[in-house]
Amino acid sequence: MSTAINQITMTPAIYKTITVTPLTLRVGAEIGGIDLTRELNATQIAEIRAALLEHGVVFFREQPIDIATLKRFGQRFGELHIHSSRKGLDEHPEVRPIHADATSKHVAGEEWHTDLSCDAIPPMGSILHIHTLPPVGGDTIWASMYAAYEALSDRMKRYLEGLTAIHDGEDAYRGTYANYGVTDKPAYPRAEHPVIRTHPVTGKKALYVNRGFTRHLVGVPRDESDGILRYLYEHMENPLFQCRFRWRENSIAFWDNRCVQHRAMWDYWPHTRSGNRVTVAGDKPF
């Protein structure tokens, strides 16, 4: 059995139905002893949720699930979120295909980002199943924004407290998916969120700005904003805050967008990497 953090009380607990092996001290863990192709009971779901809260991102190996099972698994953690800017599968709009091959001009997530932080209510979590892999490469890196916040100086924490930032999908999405036959929308989501976000379950503080969507701080001169954001981006990309996951066929990653960022490595062109993703609806950052 493995020790854990209870999702409600945040006190030590014991995993009875899964094993949890941390990848690093700060972020990431691999979950074993569970078959996601089967219907899960309430205890299993609660323990997966607890592991996610403790580690920020959790991984599963050898899970040959289909699209219906991926959706069902995601729905055990909340309502599924429909992507505001990218079309899902025709018969499953909640499911977003993640695919890159020799014809790709862009791949999803090749820059550090938090999923859809440009939305007024960004998703809580994302679940990605990869079924086709290149012969080498294609890893994904996650970084703990708890660790990034905690490593800031007290003076920088005081400066950032109460600041908000504009997150905008315009630059991230316009023209990005033309090679997939996706027509641009007249406008893309834009939202204002706190620079320091409080996790609604753990109560811990995390940095909540990212290269992919954050455009500027509110209420400070633009050159000051640019300088502060540049520092924060470089700071939060410190390898000490990270874990790196090497995918295998039918691996699954489930991450908490409220406290981690990630980056997909596109180092395998012209080979193919393919899978499907669902996101779980979240709450307004505070």
Side-chain angles (χ1 to χ4, degrees):
M1 293 187 291
S2 306
T3 59
I5 299 295
N6 182 274
Q7 73 206 59
I8 298 175
T9 65
M10 302 309 296
T11 56
I14 298 294
Y15 290 119
K16 298 179 180 179
T17 66
I18 59 175
T19 62
V20 180
T21 305
L23 270 67
T24 75
L25 290 176
R26 292 180 174 87
V27 64
E30 189 167 317
I31 291 179
I34 195 165
D35 182 356
L36 300 187
T37 67
R38 303 171 67 89
E39 187 71 31
L40 304 182
N41 62 44
T43 300
Q44 291 171 309
I45 293 298
E47 293 189 355
I48 292 170
R49 191 190 306 271
L52 179 69
L53 289 170
E54 182 177 9
H55 297 284
V57 55
V58 292
F59 307 102
F60 306 83
R61 298 288 192 184
E62 299 176 2
Q63 303 288 338
I65 62 174
D66 57 20
I67 288 173
T69 305
L70 175 63
K71 287 176 59 176
R72 184 173 68 243
F73 178 60
Q75 287 166 340
R76 297 296 299 273
F77 299 92
E79 180 182 354
L80 295 187
H81 176 282
I82 295 180
H83 200 288
S84 57
S85 303
R86 175 81 189 277
K87 188 176 182 293
L89 298 175
D90 289 340
E91 296 183 2
H92 303 278
E94 312 95 332
V95 179
R96 181 184 171 192
I98 302 296
H99 180 85
D101 57 30
T103 67
S104 297
K105 304 294 190 295
H106 161 84
V107 298
E110 61 181 308
E111 181 176 49
W112 281 105
H113 68 290
T114 301
D115 288 335
L116 291 164
S117 68
C118 59
D119 283 6
I121 303 179
M124 175 279 282
S126 301
I127 304 170
L128 174 61
H129 171 234
I130 294 291
H131 54 69
T132 303
L133 286 166
V136 67
D139 295 357
T140 304
I141 309 171
W142 279 266
S144 169
M145 294 300 100
Y146 291 151
Y149 171 76
E150 290 164 1
L152 292 171
S153 69
D154 289 341
R155 183 169 295 181
M156 179 58 75
K157 290 176 183 176
R158 289 194 297 270
Y159 172 83
L160 297 176
E161 193 69 45
L163 283 179
T164 60
I166 297 299
H167 297 243
D168 196 334
E170 179 70 24
D171 291 344
Y173 292 128
R174 188 160 301 282
T176 299
Y177 302 111
N179 60 308
Y180 295 106
V182 177
T183 303
D184 277 322
K185 295 187 173 185
Y188 287 98
R190 177 183 172 95
E192 183 175 338
H193 297 308
V195 173
I196 299 172
R197 177 175 186 173
T198 301
H199 196 288
V201 182
T202 68
K204 296 174 65 175
K205 292 183 177 181
L207 281 177
Y208 198 66
V209 293
N210 64 90
R211 290 186 188 271
F213 294 108
T214 308
R215 295 298 169 254
H216 62 86
L217 303 178
V218 175
V220 302
R222 185 56 69 98
D223 57 346
E224 181 178 332
S225 170
D226 290 346
I228 292 295
L229 287 175
R230 183 166 54 250
Y231 163 72
L232 291 177
Y233 297 154
E234 292 174 356
H235 169 76
M236 63 182 54
E237 293 163 13
N238 187 326
L240 293 176
F241 309 150
Q242 300 174 10
C243 72
R244 183 168 181 142
F245 185 64
R246 180 156 294 173
W247 296 90
R248 297 200 296 260
E249 183 179 346
N250 288 318
S251 294
I252 293 174
F254 183 5
W255 62 94
D256 188 336
N257 283 302
R258 301 167 294 189
C259 60
V260 300
Q261 292 188 28
H262 63 285
R263 178 184 179 186
M265 301 303 296
W266 192 24
D267 55 358
Y268 51 88
W269 187 91
H271 299 288
T272 297
R273 179 178 180 270
S274 191
N276 292 293
R277 191 184 86 179
V278 295
T279 55
V280 181
D283 41 65
K284 187 173 177 60
F286 64 92

